Amino acid sequence: DDLTVPGICSKKGDTEEGSSHLRTETEAASLGSPLLSIEEQERLLTETQQRLSSEEWTEQFEGLNSLQSLSKFLPTLVASKASALTAPLGVLVQSLRSSVSRNGIVTAGYLARGLTEELERLEEQGDGGGRETEKTQ
């Protein structure tokens, strides 16, 4: 995997200037930190949604990068807002700008993986034995 931390840290060897999403892994790790308040998490998600809905393709691209990061570091938050995120993501996957479309497809993969892991985690916490009962019947 050539992304160290999607949407936050650059690709290995990336020297793109002026990219606002390039940060350190320490900053990226703080996204998943319990020190990040609910309000700050919600703010990050709101900013991401605004970027996804922007008319500017660069903002859309940055929004997709942010969504990748959120799905990795705050999967519970993303899972709780998944229905509100899928419509703009679907539009961006169909974008005529190939870089936005490609990034949208990558982001959809991150969301699918992250949401699956989150659902499995919730299942383990909750009624983990329910599936076993269904299989044995």
Side-chain angles (χ1 to χ4, degrees):
D1 196 351
D2 64 344
L3 285 176
T4 53
V5 179
I8 294 180
C9 293
S10 65
K11 293 180 182 178
K12 291 179 182 169
D14 190 0
T15 58
E16 184 179 341
E17 292 182 25
S19 184
S20 63
H21 73 281
L22 303 180
R23 298 183 184 150
T24 66
E25 289 192 39
T26 305
E27 287 177 284
S30 72
L31 276 176
S33 168
L35 301 177
L36 199 60
S37 73
I38 299 296
E39 292 82 21
E40 290 171 315
Q41 292 177 21
E42 290 290 335
R43 182 188 52 77
L44 287 171
L45 187 62
T46 301
E47 288 175 4
T48 297
Q49 289 175 304
Q50 289 170 346
R51 285 182 166 176
L52 293 174
S53 300
S54 173
E55 294 295 319
E56 294 292 322
W57 75 268
T58 53
E59 284 294 310
Q60 294 169 344
F61 194 89
E62 293 295 326
L64 291 166
N65 286 339
S66 296
L67 187 53
Q68 290 174 21
S69 298
L70 290 172
S71 70
K72 180 172 182 167
F73 295 106
L74 298 171
T76 305
L77 176 66
V78 173
S80 71
K81 305 291 184 182
S83 61
L85 296 168
T86 53
L89 179 60
V91 169
L92 296 178
V93 164
Q94 297 176 19
S95 174
L96 296 177
R97 184 164 294 271
S98 63
S99 59
V100 172
S101 179
R102 184 174 44 248
N103 201 15
I105 292 167
V106 169
T107 302
Y110 274 95
L111 284 178
R113 187 173 31 241
L115 292 175
T116 300
E117 290 170 1
E118 183 63 17
L119 289 173
E120 289 171 353
R121 186 187 67 76
L122 290 173
E123 184 178 86
E124 288 173 6
Q125 286 180 352
D127 186 74
R131 275 194 155 165
E132 294 253 320
T133 310
E134 291 174 12
K135 289 180 184 176
T136 57
Q137 290 180 354

